[in-house]
Amino acid sequence: MKPHDTLPYSLPRLSDEESVARARAMRDRLRERRTCRYFSDEPVPREVIEAAIEAAGTAPNGANHQPWHFAVVASPDKKRAIRLAAEGEERRFYGEDGDDPKASEEWLAALSGLGTDADKPFLETAPFLIVVFGQRKGGLEEDGFTQNYYVNESVGIACGMLIATLHEAGLATLTHTPSPMGFLREACGRPEWEKPVMIVVVGHPSADATVPAKALRKKPLSQIASWL
Ligand code: IYR
């Protein structure tokens, strides 16, 4: 390593048994998470959203530029505007506008079993929409011109930490990605060097919420890992 300013770093040392137990406990908590498409309008404390965004803001990222912005939408008018714009895009995607679907047949077949269509009521029902932006430029000072690095990777990790924290707080989430989603930049008043990455819909599941059975099938460890 080259000389640089440093601070000491250590972690509480766990026994191997404790380490394994904690990893398994975390795995089991995360296994309870489901992508939920049915939300109640019950409010959730703003403090939960604030803490989850602070957690996301600790994510590893390119050159510590922290190239993300989280626009939290709670206003009914804004949520409605986002819903209407998103549903417009989705109608074109699914071909519900009368034209050929923008999605390929293969893509639509891949979605079968999830039950999705152009209707996105949750964008209005859920108490919070967190619109996540990646900052292509800006650096730590958000000056709008310094180059950022590994923006997609950094924002993806931050979203994972955001979702994990919201799940730990007992809330349901949905990662929603209308395509194209350029309209979100204007809806949230964000600058042109930021690109919308996803909407994280947050709230309590509705009393009659369901999840698609198809999504319960998870690949086993033997399939997703190799040991070299
Ligand atoms: N954005 C669309 C389609 C969609 C695409 C994928 I890949 C999904 O995993 C789920 C949905 C929609 O939200 O309906």
Side-chain angles (χ1 to χ4, degrees), residues 37 90 93-94 107 111 114 116-117 120 176-179:
R37 294 187 174 85
E90 298 291 4
F93 176 87
Y94 286 101
W107 193 345
L111 297 179
L114 295 182
T116 54
D117 61 17
K120 304 297 175 192
H176 178 53
T177 48
S179 163

Side-chain angles (χ1 to χ4, degrees), residues 38-52:
Y38 303 94
F39 286 85
S40 95
D41 60 3
E42 204 184 324
V44 309
R46 177 188 163 116
E47 290 85 346
V48 174
I49 308 297
E50 289 174 347

